[in-house]
Amino acid sequence: MAYDYDLVIVGAGVGGHGAALHAVDCGLKTAIIEAADMGGTCVNRGCIPSKALLAASGRVRELQNAHHLKSLGIEVGGVAFDRAAIANHAQAIVTKQREGLIGSMKRLGVEIIHGRARVAGSQKLIISTPEGEKTITAEDIILAPGSIPFVPPGVQTDGKTVFTSDDAIKLESLPPWVAIVGSGYIGLEFSDVYTALGCEVTMIEGLDQLMPGFDPDIAKLAQRILITPRDIETKVGVFAAKVTPGSPVTIELIDAKTKELVEVLEVDACLVAAGRVPFAKELGLETVNVELDRGFIPVNDQMQVLSEGQPVPHLWAIGDATGKMMLAHAASAQGVIAIENMCGRKREIDYRSIPAAAFTHPEISFVGMTEPQAKELGKKEGFEVAVVRTYFKGNAKALAEAESEGIAKIVYRKDTGEVLGTHIIGMHAADLIQEAANAIAKRESVRSLAFLVHTHPTLSEILDEAYKRAAVHS
Ligand code: FAD
C-alpha cells in the first residue's frame, strides 16, 4: 500500500521537532501537524522565555547585591530595570527560536501542516483546518501533543490576577505580593524572577515539605539558599482549595490532611504552578483501541503506543503526553528513540540518565536516583548505597567568582561503585550535571570516573573531587 508519508508527527513542540529532524536523517518522507504555535510549550511558553526572564532578573539580583559585589572589589550605583523591556527580551528570543525551528524543518523538506489532527484508525489521521477536514495516511504516526498547565478544582483563573505559567511568562505586571501554588521547578523559577524584581512571594505546597521531587538534602539546602534569605514566605501541608481572581485575589487554604479551612490569604496575584497535565484527549485513540492511563498515552520504552499492554503497530508517542519525564530534552530523546525503532534499529530510552535542572540563582540539577530512591532499590536488589558530598566553598573557581554556596552529592553503589544519581545545587549546576548524566548513561563506576582529568580551575572539579572521594570508599 502507498502512504501519503512515511511518517506523520502530530504536534510541533520540541518532541515533534526532534523526531522530525532525525526522521529526515533516516530518509523518511515526513510531515508535521501543528494546531497552534510551532515550537509548542518549550519555545513559546516554557523553557525559552522563562530562561530569558531568569537571565535578566538574575542580573538584576546580582547587581543589587552590593555586599557580594564589594567582595569582588566592585561598587555600583543604583540598579534600574524596565519590566516591559525584560518581557520584550523574552518575547524576542521566542520569536527567534520559533523561526529557527520552522526554518530548520523547511530546509530539510519536512512538510508543515497547520491544523488539529486525530487518529482515524490504523495509519490514518483526520486533520481539521479552517478550510475543512482532510484524511492523510502514513506508514508510521508519532503523537507528540504535549501538555497544558494543571489548574486544580476550585481555582479560577482570569489570566491577569490568577494565572498559570502560560500568562506569567508574558511578565505583564509585577504584583507587589504574589502567591505561588506549587514548589516544583516552575514555581521555584518564577519565585526567583519575582523576588529579584522586587515582589514578595508566598509559596503554597500541599505536601509536608517544599520541593518534593528533589533529593531531600538538596531541597533542604535550596530552602536555605533560595527561600529563607529572600522575600518568600512558605506554607506547606496546605492546599489552595479556592482561589478567586480580583483585587485582592482571595485564596482559601485548607489543611492537606484534615481538609479544614486554615487561613484566607488576600494577595495581589496568584500563579498556579501545580503541575502539568497531558493534552491527549480527543486524539481519536479509541479508534485504535487505546485507553489513556490517567490521561497519559501509554507507551513502552521503545515509544510504541500500547493497547492492553501490547504495542499498536506503527503508532508511537513521545513527550509530555507520555508522562515519563516532562522535559524538553526528554521529549526529543524519545523522538529519536521512536525513529530508530521504526527504522528497525531496536533502542530503548534510558530515563535514569536524563538530567533535569531548575534555572534558579544558583541553579539546581540532578540526574538519576535520589538517595531514598537508591536505598529503596538497594533494599530490593540487595546492595548497599553510599553517598559523597563536595562543596562549592572548596572549589577554587567558585571562590574566585565569590559564588561558593552549594554542594554536589553523588549517590552510588558501594559494591561496584556505579553512580546511581547526582544532585547539584550551586553556580552553573545545570551545565555541570551533563558530565554526571553521561557517566550514568554508560553505567560508569566512581572508580573509573576518578581517573578522568578535569580542567583546573573549573567548577567541574567539584565532581572530580566527589568521584575521587567516592572511589576511596567503594
Ligand atoms: P509541547 O511542547 O507541549 O508541544 C506539543 C504541541 O502539540 C503543541 O504545540 C500543541 O499545540 C500541539 N498539538 C497538541 N495536540 C494536537 C493535535 N491534535 N493536532 C495538532 N497539534 C497538536 N523543559 C526543559 O527541559 N527545560 C526547561 O528549562 C523547561 N522550562 C519550562 C518552563 C515552563 C514555564 C514550562 C511550562 C515548561 C518548561 N519545560 C522545560 C518543559 C518543556 O516545555 C516540555 O517538557 C516540552 O515542551 C514538551 O515537549 P512536547 O513536544 O512533548 O510538547
Side-chain angles (χ1 to χ4, degrees), residues 23 27 45 103 159 187-188 216 219-220 257 275 314 321 346 351 451 455 458:
R45 304 171 290 282
L188 275 180
K220 222 183 286 164
K257 291 193 186 94
H314 306 287
K346 190 174 169 199
Y351 293 112
F451 286 101
T455 318
T458 61

Side-chain angles (χ1 to χ4, degrees), residues 51 97 194 222 289 334 345 348 418 424 474:
K51 265 76 267 181
Q97 287 283 320
Y194 283 132
N289 200 27
Q334 288 176 320
R345 296 181 289 270
E348 295 200 334
E418 183 187 329
I424 308 175
S474 76

Side-chain angles (χ1 to χ4, degrees), residues 281-454:
K281 276 190 233 154
E282 293 162 26
L283 265 182
L285 284 170
E286 64 289 348
T287 65
V288 283
N289 200 27
V290 172
E291 246 182 67
L292 296 178
D293 177 6
R294 293 166 298 121
F296 295 105
I297 305 173
V299 287
N300 61 16
D301 285 349
Q302 293 171 49
M303 309 327 303
Q304 292 166 299
V305 175
L306 303 176
S307 164
E308 291 170 5
Q310 294 305 311
V312 178
H314 306 287
L315 189 62
W316 314 78
I318 60 172
D320 282 9
T322 65
K324 300 294 178 187
M325 279 180 117
M326 287 177 143
L327 292 168
H329 46 283
S332 44
Q334 288 176 320
V336 169
I337 295 285
I339 303 293
E340 285 293 295
N341 285 301
M342 77 183 64
C343 292
R345 296 181 289 270
K346 190 174 169 199
R347 256 183 192 274
E348 295 200 334
I349 188 102
D350 177 27
Y351 293 112
R352 191 189 290 182
S353 65
I354 297 181
F359 294 80
T360 43
H361 295 85
E363 294 171 344
I364 310 174
S365 62
F366 63 88
V367 58
M369 291 176 227
T370 61
E371 187 179 348
Q373 285 167 344
K375 284 191 167 149
E376 190 69 38
L377 186 72
K379 223 192 276 165
K380 229 191 288 161
E381 296 187 0
F383 61 81
E384 254 186 80
V385 169
V387 163
V388 281
R389 292 176 187 80
T390 47
Y391 298 87
F392 278 63
K393 63 173 178 267
N395 177 274
K397 181 73 187 299
L399 289 171
E401 299 278 350
E403 296 275 0
S404 55
E405 274 182 317
I407 64 166
K409 171 176 172 178
I410 295 185
V411 182
Y412 61 101
R413 276 179 74 132
K414 213 168 179 184
D415 52 356
T416 61
E418 183 187 329
V419 180
L420 299 174
T422 300
H423 307 265
I424 308 175
I425 177 168
M427 186 190 193
H428 295 307
D431 292 298
L432 288 173
I433 201 67
Q434 196 56 49
E435 152 170 11
N438 296 350
I440 290 184
K442 300 273 182 217
R443 300 297 187 261
E444 297 264 18
S445 161
V446 289
R447 291 176 206 147
S448 52
L449 292 166
F451 286 101
L452 298 179
V453 181
H454 291 73

Side-chain angles (χ1 to χ4, degrees), residues 10-17 33-48 50-51 115-118 144-149 165-166 169 185-186 189-190 276 279 281-283 318-321 325-331 334 357 359:
V10 177
V14 271
H17 178 239
I33 307 170
E34 175 54 57
D37 297 324
M38 294 294 291
T41 307
C42 172
V43 171
N44 298 289
R45 304 171 290 282
C47 332
I48 301 301
S50 62
K51 265 76 267 181
R116 184 164 296 282
R118 64 180 192 276
S147 65
I148 51 173
S165 59
D166 285 357
I169 218 75
Y185 80 92
I186 294 179
E189 289 187 349
F190 275 104
R276 297 183 61 84
F279 190 48
K281 276 190 233 154
E282 293 162 26
L283 265 182
I318 60 172
D320 282 9
M325 279 180 117
M326 287 177 143
L327 292 168
H329 46 283
Q334 288 176 320
F359 294 80

Side-chain angles (χ1 to χ4, degrees), residues 133-255:
E133 290 198 336
K134 68 173 179 178
T135 302
I136 59 170
T137 58
E139 182 154 12
D140 285 279
I141 293 170
I142 294 183
L143 303 174
S147 65
I148 51 173
F150 170 60
V151 178
V155 176
Q156 222 182 308
T157 58
D158 65 353
K160 296 282 175 212
T161 60
V162 182
F163 43 79
T164 65
S165 59
D166 285 357
D167 290 304
I169 218 75
K170 298 177 199 155
L171 203 70
E172 277 175 351
S173 65
L174 285 172
W177 184 8
V178 195
I180 299 182
V181 178
S183 67
Y185 80 92
I186 294 179
L188 275 180
E189 289 187 349
F190 275 104
S191 77
D192 205 88
V193 170
Y194 283 132
T195 52
L197 301 183
C199 310
E200 259 177 68
V201 168
T202 295
M203 197 171 253
I204 298 162
E205 171 58 54
L207 296 175
D208 285 343
Q209 103 190 30
L210 289 178
M211 302 172 57
F214 293 81
D215 183 89
D217 278 348
I218 299 291
K220 222 183 286 164
L221 191 57
Q223 185 148 354
R224 228 167 58 207
I225 300 174
L226 296 172
I227 299 197
T228 313
R230 298 183 181 173
D231 249 344
I232 306 177
E233 178 195 21
T234 59
K235 294 188 184 289
V236 296
V238 287
F239 285 129
K242 190 164 178 214
V243 181
T244 313
S247 177
V249 171
T250 56
I251 304 177
E252 292 184 14
L253 296 177
I254 60 165
D255 187 284

